[in-house]
Amino acid sequence: MEQLTIVKVGGAIVESDDSLNNLLSKFSNIPGHKLLVHGGGRSATKMAERLGISQTMIGGRRVTDAETLQVVTMVYGGLVNKHIVALLQTKGVNALGLTGADLNLIQSHKRPLKKVKMDDGTVQEVDYGFVGDIDKVNADILGNLISQGVVPVLSPLTHDCMGSMLNTNADTIASETAIALAQRFNVRLMYCFEKNGVLLNAEDDESVIPSITKNEFTSLVERGIVQGGMLPKLENSFSAIDAGVKTVIITNANNIDIEDAGTHLSK
Ligand code: ADP
């Protein structure tokens, strides 16, 4: 099977031109087939502020009401996605920017109401609004594009097949895409962000845990070492490994070209 590297670029990296440019240069040097998934939450928050659309966050997650859905569609599917595609073209990468609605690539359904523990300890049913949980990634179309030499750049948007876009977690798009393409390629999935990997002490960037097995992950969660945004990232990673993705690496965006850097996950 041919090698495919899927890179998910997170949070802070996309927001600064220097870090984005640096990451995209390294991405363009990766040999073989590749695919990029991007986030952009901070850019969406900034644009919503400029438009006077107030944002509600519950437990660190954005509530996507109808107006916010318009903002994230513009910002993720437009501004951020096309900025990345244009930069990749300057680096000789023939990128194609897509949302999950394009070519019917990623189908999802609106997330049902979720019981969430609030800061005051009470449990409430929360409606996250126009947020998608993924049902299907169209691996045939995506795989054919990749085999033709196209480098897809996926924004964190999917569609519900009834005419609505849905805001969808970029980490989940990366892992579900990796799983779907693992039938056809030898997939290496890299989550890159501004830290050096999964850290033993979140304040100390030198405390990288070089490798984590599934059992060790459970223990890291119990000990409270892995928390916040890292928790769903690792859950997504281990489901990808269970579903046939060969390698999952969590690393600094500066180090995606260094084979041993970051945290390597295994069964
Ligand atoms: P992104 O959107 O950048 O991919 P998230 O915010 O979803 O990232 O998740 C990464 C965040 O998880 C880190 O910035 C950090 O604040 C948090 N985190 C929690 N526990 C850890 C840990 N043990 N090691 C590294 N980061 C951690």
Side-chain angles (χ1 to χ4, degrees), residues 98-110:
L98 297 160
T99 74
D102 298 289
L103 300 168
N104 193 21
L105 277 189
I106 310 179
Q107 303 169 7
S108 65
H109 61 273
K110 185 176 175 294

Side-chain angles (χ1 to χ4, degrees), residues 231-250:
L231 200 60
K233 210 181 285 296
L234 283 171
E235 279 164 354
N236 278 322
S237 303
F238 281 108
S239 25
I241 286 173
D242 284 342
V245 174
K246 288 279 177 310
T247 313
V248 181
I249 302 170
I250 298 178

Side-chain angles (χ1 to χ4, degrees), residues 8-15 38-49 55 57 60-62 64 68 71-72 75-77 80 155-156 167-171:
K8 188 265 168 170
V9 50
I13 307 299
V14 178
E15 321 299 325
H38 64 83
R42 286 160 240 214
S43 302
T45 303
K46 272 190 221 152
M47 184 57 78
E49 265 169 24
Q55 299 291 287
M57 306 294 279
R61 283 165 185 258
R62 183 190 310 275
T64 308
T68 300
V71 174
V72 296
V75 172
Y76 300 160
V80 175
S155 62
N167 187 8
T168 305
N169 182 278
D171 285 355

